[in-house]
Amino acid sequence: MAPTLSSSSTAAAAPPGLKEGIAGLYDESSGVWESIWGEHMHHGFYDAGEAASMSDHRRAQIRMIEESLAFAAVPDDAEKKPKSIVDVGCGIGGSSRYLANKYGAQCYGITLSPVQAERGNALAAEQGLSDKVSFQVGDALEQPFPDGQFDLVWSMESGEHMPDKRQFVSELARVAAPGARIIIVTWCHRNLEPSEESLKPDELNLLKGICDAYYLPDWCSPSDYVKIAESLSLEDIRTADWSENVAPFWPAVIKSALTWKGLTSLLRSGWKTIRGAMVMPLMIEGYKKGLIKFTIITCRKPETTQ
Protein backbone atom coordinates (compact mmCIF):
# COMPACT_ATOMS: atom_id res chain seq x y z
CA MET A 1 0.00 0.00 0.00
CA ALA A 2 1.25 3.50 -0.82
CA PRO A 3 1.83 5.91 2.07
CA THR A 4 -1.11 8.04 3.09
CA LEU A 5 -0.50 11.69 2.37
CA SER A 6 -1.27 14.19 5.09
CA SER A 7 -0.10 17.72 5.67
CA SER A 8 -0.07 17.13 9.40
CA SER A 9 2.09 14.00 9.28
CA THR A 10 5.46 15.49 10.11
CA ALA A 11 6.28 12.65 12.49
CA ALA A 12 5.68 9.08 11.34
CA ALA A 13 7.27 5.66 11.30
CA ALA A 14 8.92 4.66 8.04
CA PRO A 15 6.61 2.50 5.91
CA PRO A 16 7.95 -1.07 5.58
CA GLY A 17 10.58 -1.30 2.88
CA LEU A 18 10.92 2.46 2.41
CA LYS A 19 14.68 2.67 3.07
CA GLU A 20 15.32 -0.39 0.94
CA GLY A 21 13.21 1.07 -1.87
CA ILE A 22 15.05 4.41 -1.77
CA ALA A 23 18.43 2.67 -1.78
CA GLY A 24 17.37 0.43 -4.65
CA LEU A 25 16.06 3.33 -6.71
CA TYR A 26 19.32 5.22 -6.44
CA ASP A 27 21.51 2.13 -6.79
CA GLU A 28 19.75 1.55 -10.10
CA SER A 29 19.32 5.07 -11.47
CA SER A 30 22.41 7.02 -10.39
CA GLY A 31 24.58 5.78 -13.26
CA VAL A 32 21.95 6.78 -15.81
CA TRP A 33 21.65 10.24 -14.28
CA GLU A 34 25.40 10.79 -14.17
CA SER A 35 25.90 9.69 -17.77
CA ILE A 36 23.34 12.22 -19.03
CA TRP A 37 23.35 15.04 -16.46
CA GLY A 38 26.60 14.74 -14.58
CA GLU A 39 27.46 14.57 -10.89
CA HIS A 40 24.77 16.91 -9.47
CA MET A 41 21.56 15.01 -8.78
CA HIS A 42 19.28 17.98 -8.14
CA HIS A 43 17.27 20.73 -9.82
CA GLY A 44 18.92 23.66 -11.52
CA PHE A 45 18.17 27.30 -10.67
CA TYR A 46 17.04 29.50 -13.59
CA ASP A 47 15.82 33.06 -13.96
CA ALA A 48 12.03 32.98 -13.67
CA GLY A 49 10.43 32.64 -17.10
CA GLU A 50 13.67 31.96 -18.97
CA ALA A 51 13.73 29.48 -21.83
CA ALA A 52 16.76 27.34 -21.04
CA SER A 53 18.77 25.36 -23.56
CA MET A 54 20.27 21.98 -22.76
CA SER A 55 23.70 23.58 -22.38
CA ASP A 56 22.34 25.75 -19.56
CA HIS A 57 21.24 22.97 -17.27
CA ARG A 58 24.51 21.89 -15.68
CA ARG A 59 25.39 25.53 -15.03
CA ALA A 60 21.96 25.92 -13.46
CA GLN A 61 22.70 23.07 -11.06
CA ILE A 62 25.84 24.87 -9.88
CA ARG A 63 23.81 28.06 -9.60
CA MET A 64 21.35 26.20 -7.34
CA ILE A 65 24.19 25.54 -4.92
CA GLU A 66 25.38 29.15 -5.04
CA GLU A 67 21.88 30.61 -4.67
CA SER A 68 21.30 28.38 -1.64
CA LEU A 69 24.53 29.50 0.01
CA ALA A 70 23.70 33.14 -0.71
CA PHE A 71 20.15 32.82 0.66
CA ALA A 72 21.56 31.33 3.87
CA ALA A 73 24.24 34.06 4.04
CA VAL A 74 27.03 31.53 4.38
CA PRO A 75 30.22 33.60 4.83
CA ASP A 76 33.08 33.43 2.32
CA ASP A 77 35.82 35.11 4.35
CA ALA A 78 38.70 32.97 5.55
CA GLU A 79 37.91 33.30 9.25
CA LYS A 80 34.18 32.56 9.15
CA LYS A 81 33.75 30.27 6.13
CA PRO A 82 32.64 26.67 6.81
CA LYS A 83 35.43 24.30 7.75
CA SER A 84 33.41 21.13 8.39
CA ILE A 85 30.32 20.27 6.31
CA VAL A 86 27.85 17.40 6.28
CA ASP A 87 25.89 16.59 3.10
CA VAL A 88 22.76 14.70 4.14
CA GLY A 89 21.38 12.66 1.26
CA CYS A 90 24.52 13.31 -0.77
CA GLY A 91 23.78 11.43 -4.00
CA ILE A 92 27.10 10.78 -5.73
CA GLY A 93 28.61 13.73 -3.89
CA GLY A 94 28.42 16.60 -6.36
CA SER A 95 27.56 19.18 -3.70
CA SER A 96 30.19 17.91 -1.28
CA ARG A 97 33.00 18.11 -3.81
CA TYR A 98 31.87 21.56 -4.93
CA LEU A 99 31.72 22.84 -1.34
CA ALA A 100 35.08 21.27 -0.48
CA ASN A 101 36.67 23.07 -3.43
CA LYS A 102 34.92 26.35 -2.67
CA TYR A 103 35.69 26.54 1.03
CA GLY A 104 38.64 24.16 1.48
CA ALA A 105 36.39 22.39 3.98
CA GLN A 106 36.18 18.81 5.16
CA CYS A 107 32.94 17.32 3.80
CA TYR A 108 31.19 14.17 4.88
CA GLY A 109 28.28 12.76 2.89
CA ILE A 110 25.70 10.12 3.77
CA THR A 111 23.31 8.25 1.50
CA LEU A 112 21.20 5.11 1.79
CA SER A 113 22.65 3.87 -1.50
CA PRO A 114 25.89 1.83 -1.39
CA VAL A 115 26.33 2.43 -5.12
CA GLN A 116 26.18 6.20 -4.61
CA ALA A 117 28.64 6.15 -1.69
CA GLU A 118 31.13 4.06 -3.68
CA ARG A 119 30.81 6.26 -6.76
CA GLY A 120 31.11 9.44 -4.67
CA ASN A 121 34.38 8.23 -3.16
CA ALA A 122 35.68 7.19 -6.60
CA LEU A 123 34.93 10.63 -8.04
CA ALA A 124 36.59 12.29 -5.03
CA ALA A 125 39.72 10.23 -5.71
CA GLU A 126 39.63 11.10 -9.43
CA GLN A 127 39.37 14.80 -8.56
CA GLY A 128 42.14 14.70 -5.96
CA LEU A 129 39.75 15.30 -3.07
CA SER A 130 40.04 12.07 -1.06
CA ASP A 131 41.68 14.00 1.78
CA LYS A 132 38.77 16.47 1.88
CA VAL A 133 35.65 14.47 1.05
CA SER A 134 34.29 11.08 2.11
CA PHE A 135 31.00 9.27 1.67
CA GLN A 136 29.35 6.44 3.57
CA VAL A 137 26.04 4.65 3.82
CA GLY A 138 24.04 6.28 6.58
CA ASP A 139 20.51 7.12 7.68
CA ALA A 140 19.63 10.82 7.86
CA LEU A 141 17.30 10.06 10.78
CA GLU A 142 20.13 8.42 12.75
CA GLN A 143 23.26 10.15 11.53
CA PRO A 144 26.60 8.44 12.30
CA PHE A 145 28.17 11.64 13.64
CA PRO A 146 28.64 13.11 17.12
CA ASP A 147 26.74 16.14 18.37
CA GLY A 148 27.85 19.58 17.24
CA GLN A 149 30.40 18.49 14.63
CA PHE A 150 29.56 20.65 11.57
CA ASP A 151 29.46 24.39 10.94
CA LEU A 152 27.41 23.92 7.73
CA VAL A 153 24.64 21.32 7.51
CA TRP A 154 23.51 20.78 3.93
CA SER A 155 20.51 18.83 2.62
CA MET A 156 19.85 19.24 -1.11
CA GLU A 157 16.64 17.47 -2.14
CA SER A 158 16.62 14.64 0.35
CA GLY A 159 14.01 15.84 2.84
CA GLU A 160 11.17 14.58 0.63
CA HIS A 161 12.34 11.01 1.34
CA MET A 162 12.12 11.41 5.13
CA PRO A 163 9.16 9.70 6.81
CA ASP A 164 9.61 11.71 10.02
CA LYS A 165 10.25 15.34 9.15
CA ARG A 166 10.67 16.40 12.77
CA GLN A 167 13.30 13.74 13.40
CA PHE A 168 15.01 14.76 10.16
CA VAL A 169 15.34 18.41 11.19
CA SER A 170 16.19 17.40 14.76
CA GLU A 171 19.14 15.32 13.49
CA LEU A 172 20.31 18.18 11.28
CA ALA A 173 20.28 20.40 14.35
CA ARG A 174 21.96 17.79 16.55
CA VAL A 175 25.04 17.45 14.35
CA ALA A 176 25.26 21.23 13.80
CA ALA A 177 27.80 23.14 15.86
CA PRO A 178 26.57 26.13 17.89
CA GLY A 179 25.99 28.98 15.44
CA ALA A 180 26.07 26.65 12.41
CA ARG A 181 23.84 27.27 9.42
CA ILE A 182 21.39 24.61 8.27
CA ILE A 183 20.21 24.57 4.65
CA ILE A 184 17.30 22.39 3.52
CA VAL A 185 16.25 22.46 -0.13
CA THR A 186 13.29 20.16 -0.69
CA TRP A 187 9.98 19.40 -2.35
CA CYS A 188 6.92 20.49 -0.37
CA HIS A 189 3.24 20.69 -1.02
CA ARG A 190 1.51 24.05 -0.86
CA ASN A 191 0.61 25.63 2.47
CA LEU A 192 -2.95 24.89 3.50
CA GLU A 193 -5.51 27.66 3.71
CA PRO A 194 -6.83 28.45 7.22
CA SER A 195 -10.13 26.78 6.30
CA GLU A 196 -8.46 23.57 5.05
CA GLU A 197 -7.64 20.49 7.07
CA SER A 198 -5.91 18.67 4.19
CA LEU A 199 -5.15 18.87 0.52
CA LYS A 200 -7.92 18.26 -2.01
CA PRO A 201 -8.55 14.66 -3.14
CA ASP A 202 -7.25 15.31 -6.67
CA GLU A 203 -4.08 16.86 -5.20
CA LEU A 204 -3.54 13.86 -2.93
CA ASN A 205 -4.03 11.54 -5.90
CA LEU A 206 -1.43 13.39 -7.97
CA LEU A 207 1.11 13.25 -5.14
CA LYS A 208 0.38 9.55 -4.61
CA GLY A 209 1.50 8.82 -8.17
CA ILE A 210 4.77 10.62 -7.52
CA CYS A 211 5.25 8.94 -4.13
CA ASP A 212 4.78 5.47 -5.54
CA ALA A 213 7.47 5.99 -8.19
CA TYR A 214 10.07 7.85 -6.11
CA TYR A 215 9.67 6.09 -2.75
CA LEU A 216 8.41 9.19 -0.98
CA PRO A 217 6.49 9.05 2.31
CA ASP A 218 4.24 11.85 3.56
CA TRP A 219 4.84 15.31 2.13
CA CYS A 220 4.63 18.44 4.26
CA SER A 221 4.33 22.15 3.61
CA PRO A 222 6.88 24.94 4.02
CA SER A 223 4.97 26.18 7.05
CA ASP A 224 5.28 22.71 8.61
CA TYR A 225 9.06 22.98 8.33
CA VAL A 226 9.00 26.43 9.91
CA LYS A 227 6.94 25.11 12.84
CA ILE A 228 9.39 22.24 13.34
CA ALA A 229 12.38 24.59 13.27
CA GLU A 230 10.68 26.92 15.76
CA SER A 231 9.87 24.01 18.08
CA LEU A 232 13.57 23.08 18.09
CA SER A 233 14.53 26.67 19.04
CA LEU A 234 16.42 27.23 15.80
CA GLU A 235 17.04 30.86 14.86
CA ASP A 236 16.98 33.09 11.77
CA ILE A 237 14.42 30.82 10.08
CA ARG A 238 13.79 31.85 6.49
CA THR A 239 12.01 30.22 3.55
CA ALA A 240 11.53 30.97 -0.13
CA ASP A 241 9.47 29.41 -2.89
CA TRP A 242 11.77 28.76 -5.86
CA SER A 243 9.19 26.87 -7.93
CA GLU A 244 9.35 29.38 -10.79
CA ASN A 245 13.13 29.19 -10.76
CA VAL A 246 13.14 25.42 -11.32
CA ALA A 247 10.31 25.37 -13.89
CA PRO A 248 12.58 24.53 -16.89
CA PHE A 249 14.11 21.54 -15.11
CA TRP A 250 11.61 18.71 -15.51
CA PRO A 251 10.84 19.44 -19.20
CA ALA A 252 14.61 19.30 -19.78
CA VAL A 253 14.88 15.96 -17.97
CA ILE A 254 12.06 14.54 -20.08
CA LYS A 255 13.71 15.84 -23.24
CA SER A 256 17.01 14.21 -22.30
CA ALA A 257 15.21 10.93 -21.50
CA LEU A 258 13.73 10.90 -25.01
CA THR A 259 17.11 11.03 -26.74
CA TRP A 260 18.60 7.79 -28.04
CA LYS A 261 21.18 7.84 -25.24
CA GLY A 262 18.47 8.48 -22.67
CA LEU A 263 16.13 5.76 -23.93
CA THR A 264 18.82 3.10 -24.18
CA SER A 265 20.15 4.02 -20.72
CA LEU A 266 16.65 3.78 -19.22
CA LEU A 267 16.01 0.39 -20.79
CA ARG A 268 19.29 -0.96 -19.40
CA SER A 269 18.81 0.50 -15.93
CA GLY A 270 15.75 -1.35 -14.69
CA TRP A 271 12.10 -0.98 -13.75
CA LYS A 272 12.50 1.46 -10.84
CA THR A 273 14.22 3.99 -13.10
CA ILE A 274 11.71 3.49 -15.92
CA ARG A 275 8.81 3.97 -13.51
CA GLY A 276 10.41 7.16 -12.23
CA ALA A 277 10.73 8.47 -15.78
CA MET A 278 7.08 7.68 -16.48
CA VAL A 279 5.80 9.96 -13.71
CA MET A 280 7.96 12.98 -14.56
CA PRO A 281 4.94 14.66 -16.26
CA LEU A 282 3.18 14.53 -12.87
CA MET A 283 5.95 16.72 -11.40
CA ILE A 284 5.36 19.28 -14.15
CA GLU A 285 1.61 19.16 -13.54
CA GLY A 286 2.11 19.58 -9.78
CA TYR A 287 4.27 22.68 -10.29
CA LYS A 288 1.85 24.19 -12.81
CA LYS A 289 -1.09 23.70 -10.43
CA GLY A 290 0.78 25.32 -7.56
CA LEU A 291 0.56 22.08 -5.59
CA ILE A 292 4.29 21.30 -5.50
CA LYS A 293 6.51 23.97 -4.01
CA PHE A 294 10.26 23.82 -4.49
CA THR A 295 11.32 25.28 -1.17
CA ILE A 296 14.47 26.40 0.60
CA ILE A 297 14.44 26.56 4.39
CA THR A 298 17.44 27.97 6.20
CA CYS A 299 18.07 28.48 9.88
CA ARG A 300 20.86 28.64 12.44
CA LYS A 301 21.57 26.70 15.59
CA PRO A 302 21.79 29.02 18.60
CA GLU A 303 25.28 29.92 19.78
CA THR A 304 24.38 28.57 23.20
CA THR A 305 21.66 26.08 24.09
CA GLN A 306 18.89 27.27 26.32
Side-chain angles (χ1 to χ4, degrees), residues 3-4 9-19 141 161-167 216-218:
T4 302
S9 296
T10 53
L18 177 66
K19 289 201 295 185
L141 302 185
H161 284 298
M162 307 301 168
D164 186 335
K165 302 296 193 288
R166 179 180 172 81
Q167 178 63 16
L216 306 181
D218 298 345

Side-chain angles (χ1 to χ4, degrees), residues 206-225:
L206 191 154
L207 292 184
K208 180 181 180 298
I210 297 169
C211 286
D212 289 348
Y214 293 137
Y215 294 91
L216 306 181
D218 298 345
W219 293 50
C220 71
S221 68
S223 64
D224 289 328
Y225 270 111

Side-chain angles (χ1 to χ4, degrees), residues 48-281:
E50 90 172 287
S53 67
M54 284 299 291
S55 62
D56 294 330
H57 296 305
R58 292 195 185 187
R59 286 197 300 272
Q61 289 174 308
I62 297 298
R63 185 177 172 190
M64 175 63 73
I65 296 173
E66 287 292 346
E67 293 283 350
S68 301
L69 295 170
F71 185 83
V74 177
D76 278 332
D77 64 275
E79 185 178 332
K80 296 182 179 180
K81 68 182 181 180
K83 297 174 178 62
S84 182
I85 300 171
V86 64
D87 184 354
V88 179
C90 61
I92 59 173
S95 291
S96 290
R97 288 185 296 276
Y98 184 86
L99 294 169
N101 274 318
K102 179 180 177 70
Y103 295 119
Q106 294 290 326
C107 294
Y108 303 84
I110 57 171
T111 171
L112 291 174
S113 164
V115 170
Q116 287 188 333
E118 182 178 358
R119 182 58 179 154
N121 284 319
L123 287 169
E126 288 175 18
Q127 297 172 21
L129 288 169
S130 293
D131 62 331
K132 289 288 188 184
V133 182
S134 65
F135 304 99
Q136 63 181 292
V137 174
D139 187 345
L141 302 185
E142 297 179 48
Q143 291 188 40
F145 305 115
D147 296 357
Q149 181 169 342
F150 303 104
D151 49 16
L152 177 60
V153 177
W154 176 271
S155 172
M156 175 61 69
E157 294 189 56
S158 64
E160 53 271 17
H161 284 298
M162 307 301 168
D164 186 335
K165 302 296 193 288
R166 179 180 172 81
Q167 178 63 16
F168 169 53
V169 180
S170 179
E171 274 292 274
L172 298 180
R174 181 186 67 78
V175 300
R181 286 167 172 79
I182 299 169
I183 299 176
I184 304 168
V185 181
T186 189
W187 311 354
C188 293
H189 67 61
R190 64 174 177 82
N191 288 326
L192 298 180
E193 298 295 333
S195 60
E196 292 181 309
E197 294 186 2
S198 69
L199 295 171
K200 298 180 176 67
D202 64 312
E203 293 175 320
L204 292 171
N205 191 53
L206 191 154
L207 292 184
K208 180 181 180 298
I210 297 169
C211 286
D212 289 348
Y214 293 137
Y215 294 91
L216 306 181
D218 298 345
W219 293 50
C220 71
S221 68
S223 64
D224 289 328
Y225 270 111
V226 170
K227 289 173 186 173
I228 291 169
E230 289 174 341
S231 74
L232 294 170
S233 300
L234 298 172
E235 299 176 345
D236 298 337
I237 303 165
R238 300 177 63 217
T239 70
D241 177 4
W242 285 352
S243 302
E244 287 190 18
N245 300 103
V246 301
F249 177 77
W250 286 96
V253 174
I254 292 173
K255 186 175 180 180
S256 66
L258 295 177
T259 62
W260 177 251
K261 181 179 181 180
L263 288 169
T264 55
S265 297
L266 279 174
L267 291 173
R268 286 197 303 266
S269 64
W271 170 241
K272 289 184 176 70
T273 308
I274 294 169
R275 185 173 65 166
M278 289 170 63
V279 303
M280 289 189 290

